[in-house]
Amino acid sequence: MEKTTRIGVDIGGTFTDLVLHDDVRALTWTGKRLTTPEAPSRAIVEGVQRLLDETATDIAQVHSIIHGTTLITNTVLERTGARVGLITTEGFRDVLEMGREIRYDVDDLYAQPAAVIVPRQRRLGVGGRLRVDGSEHAPLDEEALLKAARTLVEEHEIEALAIAFLHAYANPVHELRARELIHKVYPRLLITLSSEVAPEIREYERTNTACVNAYVQPRVHGYLDRLENDLAKIGFDGELYIMLSSGGITTIEEAKNFPVRLLESGPAAGAMAAGFLARNIGEDRIISFDMGGTTAKMCLVEQGHPHIKHEFEAGRLDKFKPGSGLPLRLTVVDMIEIGSGGGSIAAIDELGLMKVGPRSASSVPGPVAYRRGGTEPTVTDSDLVVGYLNPDFFLGGEMALSLEQVERALSERLAQPLGIDTKAAAVGIQQIVTESMAAATRMHLAEKGRDPRQYALMAFGGAGPVHAYALAKLLKLRRVIVPMGAGVISAFGFLVAAPAVDDVRGHAAPLSRVDWSRVRSLYGDMEARARRLLLKAGGREAEILVTRSADMRYVGQGFEVEVELPDGALSPELASGIRDAFDTAYAARFDRSIGDLPVEIVNWRVSARLPGRDISLAYSLVDTPALRGERLIHFAGWGERLAAVYDRYALKPGDRIRGPAVFEERESSFSVGPDCVVGVDAQLNLVAEISEPS
């Protein structure tokens, strides 16, 4: 049977979203199930089976399933990873705790650093030393190495091992030899080499990345093995792919070897989908707003592509304070994520003030409205009370919501202690969560020198469209775009994202003294590996697009800017053009360049990609009246207004509707106030134009 079907699956904290697409039948279908945190693969298998039944698709037709997960992020945040050991160069066992030797908050005398992944007793140093250029200063002490490994495995009972030697990014020979020797004695031990997971300058970040990779590797191995087995039981024999933090797609083997690269796997898919949709409708500047059941994610998408960065801090103690987390060297979609989702719990703190999040009701027990045992009011519960949600049409009517239980919980937990009525308590939750998201978005844009008023807001996720109007008003945005199938856009992102490989090699040198033959060798190795992985992922050689860049800085600076390199063979003749490109990139970042100061290149990067797929979610037109009725909705700044209720699937391109109105679809709803006119474009996106305040 010909394999023409692909399925994207996104596991969120509350819901597991699925999108099925069949090229031959031009069929796209969506699904949504409550996440099963005790066994995440169960929701995937049940959701896949339901999609197959609803679309009359045989499991033998499924070519691939593309998946994203928050398992790695949660493992690091909750500190539930493996017992990890670290073997490093003698004298450098404390690099994890020394860090950058700075305080992330100089005003807080009680500020504590992020807890290290590997405690000191499981960090051991061995003899052997490389120079900064990669040449050997002292040979590896193999006897000491095996003794250290024996101590860690047999006395400390480690489950995984990280090896990070000084200057291994310049020459991995000692790390490779160490793994070879240890595997002869302990062949089943999972070993991470810093020279493979993060071959870049900076010992602290490289060592930390290797340790985090080892920390999550046993759990990821177990999770992916179970998922493969569970899918095989229902007859799936296609390919299982995983979304990377950079927005690309990789094979299951690569995901097992380098699970740290999946740290932002799920959120990246939403940003990639936003970029795809923005390109399709010609929007050059959008703020991607993805609000689900547990968190809200904001990302800048310019010229149809989300911002990318090459460093990330996992598990920050304070979301807005760099240095309060574990710094890692990996390529990620640049976004901000805060604990404001539909399941975020509202409670009264010790000062008697209402707070919302970051605690979440998740899928178990879930919001009070779900009638699954939840007792603490959440954002979703307040959405129901103010009228944003229809209790009889949640998930297309599959899950009836209980307004009575929500009002009782709001009254007992919030309204009575605060001396206000239930509706006021619900409105208070709305105001707090919207202000939190607006503050995070403003800070994210300010760090990049961007004015939010120059952007449109693209809202998706189950709760994104619900809160998009209020958020846009606070940010002074004038356009809100809600794509069809907004509630499952992250799963859709898995289907439109391109298989990709991002690689890097550290080799620092002044631009005037670059060893171009060595650089060509580095790029040859990186490109060969990238092509091999993409061909394994089902691509064709002629489809592979390769771009090259370098991290550059003025000599003496501490941090770099990324500069795109020209095509063709790299040689001294290109040096002046590379310098010009650096000056341009530096000026774009800092609004000036610094004359004729010498510059140096620190890292050499390659990005290889296959083409993405052109898929549309604009499939659910029905030939029925669009107007369903009316209901009272509380709008920020307007109070309660009687709003028209529309069936999203009955709207046609060219329709224009003046607010107040609410647009309902299976996985979400979108409400706008009286100052909005909503149009339906050719792609069936809802485009809301917000009037300037008089």
Side-chain angles (χ1 to χ4, degrees):
M1 184 175 289
E2 186 180 3
K3 294 184 180 296
T4 59
T5 302
R6 299 186 308 137
I7 299 175
V9 183
D10 177 42
I11 296 183
T14 305
F15 285 99
T16 294
D17 301 332
L18 304 98
V19 176
L20 176 149
H21 178 76
D22 188 290
D23 289 326
V24 172
R25 293 181 288 170
L27 170 69
T28 306
W29 203 256
T30 65
K32 202 176 188 78
R33 296 188 68 81
L34 282 167
T35 294
T36 49
E38 73 287 354
S41 61
R42 190 172 83 234
I44 295 178
V45 171
E46 292 174 354
V48 167
Q49 287 181 311
R50 177 167 177 173
L51 283 183
L52 298 177
D53 292 341
E54 291 177 344
T55 59
T57 302
D58 193 292
I59 189 67
Q61 293 175 250
V62 180
H63 170 274
S64 55
I65 294 176
I66 306 100
H67 173 42
T69 177
T70 57
L71 175 68
I72 295 87
T73 301
N74 294 341
T75 299
V76 175
L77 287 174
E78 298 164 5
R79 291 295 196 270
T80 55
R83 287 177 63 84
V84 176
L86 169 65
I87 294 179
T88 187
T89 303
E90 193 171 35
F92 286 83
R93 68 185 292 197
D94 293 322
V95 68
L96 292 182
E97 282 170 316
M98 294 170 66
R100 298 189 182 119
E101 295 187 334
I102 59 173
R103 295 171 62 87
Y104 65 85
D105 188 342
V106 296
D107 298 317
D108 185 355
L109 298 179
Y110 301 99
Q112 296 295 315
V116 298
I117 289 292
V118 187
R120 194 172 196 272
Q121 65 270 23
R122 299 205 300 265
R123 305 194 303 259
L124 301 177
V126 298
R129 187 77 171 260
L130 297 175
R131 299 186 180 92
V132 69
D133 62 357
S135 61
E136 188 175 79
H137 175 71
L140 179 65
D141 188 336
E142 297 183 357
E143 184 177 343
L145 172 78
L146 291 174
K147 181 180 178 182
R150 192 177 306 113
T151 299
L152 291 171
V153 173
E154 298 178 11
E155 295 183 19
H156 293 285
E157 299 179 339
I158 64 168
E159 302 168 75
L161 175 67
I163 300 176
F165 291 144
L166 189 66
H167 303 312
Y169 69 91
N171 185 353
V173 60
H174 280 185
E175 290 192 354
L176 293 170
R177 177 59 176 163
R179 180 171 62 186
E180 178 187 355
L181 291 171
I182 295 172
H183 265 165
K184 286 180 179 178
V185 182
Y186 305 105
R188 299 176 64 85
L189 181 64
L190 295 172
I191 299 177
T192 295
L193 302 186
S194 74
S195 56
E196 290 182 344
V197 72
E200 302 181 48
I201 197 170
R202 294 195 176 94
E203 300 304 309
Y204 172 41
E205 288 83 351
R206 178 165 55 85
T207 303
N208 211 37
T209 306
C211 290
V212 171
N213 193 77
Y215 185 68
V216 301
Q217 199 168 27
R219 283 200 68 185
V220 171
H221 269 246
Y223 169 72
L224 293 178
D225 285 343
R226 284 191 299 274
L227 179 57
E228 284 186 296
N229 291 335
D230 290 345
L231 290 171
K233 288 177 182 177
I234 64 172
F236 175 66
D237 61 357
E239 299 292 334
L240 179 60
Y241 296 122
I242 306 295
M243 171 68 77
L244 294 164
S245 300
S246 61
I249 296 170
T250 192
T251 62
I252 200 81
E253 292 80 14
E254 280 290 293
K256 288 180 178 179
N257 290 335
F258 305 111
V260 70
R261 295 176 183 170
L262 314 180
L263 199 65
E264 290 289 279
S265 170
M272 299 306 291
F276 170 83
L277 294 167
R279 292 194 299 272
N280 276 0
I281 60 176
E283 285 283 348
D284 291 336
R285 294 182 176 185
I286 69 167
I287 299 170
S288 162
F289 170 47
D290 177 6
M291 185 177 179
T294 308
T295 59
K297 285 81 66 176
M298 279 69 76
C299 174
L300 282 185
V301 178
E302 296 181 319
Q303 306 302 319
H305 298 281
H307 281 206
I308 300 293
K309 61 181 181 179
H310 302 294
E311 67 279 332
F312 181 76
E313 275 192 28
R316 276 188 181 178
L317 299 177
D318 189 310
K319 278 286 183 184
F320 302 110
K321 292 181 180 176
S324 65
L326 300 174
L328 308 174
R329 299 297 291 183
L330 65 153
T331 302
V332 299
V333 172
D334 187 8
M335 65 177 69
I336 190 164
E337 185 172 355
I338 62 173
S340 296
S344 294
I345 293 171
I348 299 174
D349 66 10
E350 61 275 8
L351 297 177
L353 302 174
M354 188 193 301
K355 300 291 184 185
V356 180
R359 287 194 308 127
S360 174
S362 302
S363 60
V364 180
V368 177
Y370 289 4
R371 299 190 293 189
R372 295 167 58 88
T375 59
E376 298 182 277
T378 67
V379 173
T380 294
D381 295 321
S382 72
D383 293 339
L384 181 61
V385 171
V386 300
Y388 291 155
L389 300 181
N390 180 348
D392 300 321
F393 194 70
F394 195 72
L395 291 187
E398 288 187 29
M399 179 187 287
L401 303 182
S402 173
L403 180 60
E404 181 182 349
Q405 290 184 26
V406 168
E407 289 178 334
R408 186 184 310 123
L410 279 169
S411 176
E412 294 173 356
R413 299 272 183 160
L414 297 175
Q416 292 179 23
L418 292 172
I420 58 178
D421 62 34
T422 302
K423 180 65 69 70
V427 171
I429 294 174
Q430 296 285 316
Q431 292 174 335
I432 292 171
V433 75
T434 307
E435 287 285 359
S436 297
M437 294 186 296
T441 306
R442 289 191 198 100
M443 183 167 293
H444 187 58
L445 269 69
E447 289 174 349
K448 303 181 182 309
R450 303 296 199 271
D451 183 346
R453 293 171 297 181
Q454 298 175 355
Y455 291 76
L457 187 73
M458 181 173 286
F460 53 94
V466 178
H467 295 267
Y469 168 73
L471 178 61
K473 295 268 287 184
L474 280 180
L475 294 173
K476 296 181 171 58
L477 307 182
R478 294 290 161 243
R479 281 165 58 81
V480 178
I481 303 164
V482 179
M484 177 67 82
V488 294
I489 285 296
S490 287
F492 175 72
F494 296 132
L495 299 183
V496 299
V501 176
D502 294 286
D503 211 344
V504 61
R505 295 290 183 272
H507 171 55
L511 181 59
S512 59
R513 298 200 304 273
V514 170
D515 182 347
W516 293 104
S517 63
R518 181 171 180 183
V519 170
R520 288 192 293 271
S521 175
L522 292 176
Y523 273 117
D525 291 343
M526 288 191 287
E527 290 186 24
R529 174 181 174 274
R531 291 179 185 278
R532 184 171 64 253
L533 289 172
L534 292 177
L535 292 174
K536 189 174 181 180
R540 294 193 296 269
E541 180 70 36
E543 295 178 320
I544 299 175
L545 174 65
V546 177
T547 57
R548 300 175 298 188
S549 62
D551 296 342
M552 300 180 64
R553 64 188 183 189
Y554 290 109
V555 173
Q557 280 190 319
F559 293 90
E560 307 82 38
V561 295
E562 187 176 4
V563 177
E564 188 171 339
L565 298 180
D567 296 328
L570 294 171
S571 63
E573 289 73 27
L574 296 177
S576 62
I578 294 174
R579 171 60 194 252
D580 291 342
F582 168 75
D583 288 337
T584 301
Y586 194 92
R589 177 91 172 263
F590 300 106
D591 202 33
R592 69 188 186 110
S593 57
I594 312 178
D596 297 325
L597 285 180
V599 300
E600 61 183 347
I601 299 178
V602 176
N603 297 314
W604 307 83
R605 299 185 180 277
V606 70
S607 178
R609 277 170 164 68
L610 292 170
R613 299 294 186 95
D614 189 3
I615 300 172
S616 174
L617 277 174
Y619 64 91
S620 291
L621 287 175
V622 295
D623 193 19
T624 56
L627 185 62
R628 283 180 168 168
E630 295 179 322
R631 72 168 177 262
L632 281 173
I633 297 179
H634 186 282
F635 294 101
W638 296 96
E640 280 198 342
R641 295 296 177 99
L642 192 61
V645 180
Y646 291 91
D647 180 353
R648 171 81 188 261
Y649 304 117
L651 297 174
K652 306 295 190 294
D655 286 351
R656 289 181 65 79
I657 296 165
R658 179 169 293 280
V662 57
F663 305 88
E664 295 181 341
E665 55 183 306
R666 280 188 296 271
E667 297 90 7
S668 187
S669 70
F670 175 46
S671 303
V672 296
D675 55 348
C676 274
V677 174
V678 179
V680 183
D681 70 11
Q683 305 293 324
L684 297 186
N685 300 301
L686 298 179
V687 182
E689 303 285 348
I690 304 175
S691 303
E692 291 274 359
S694 58

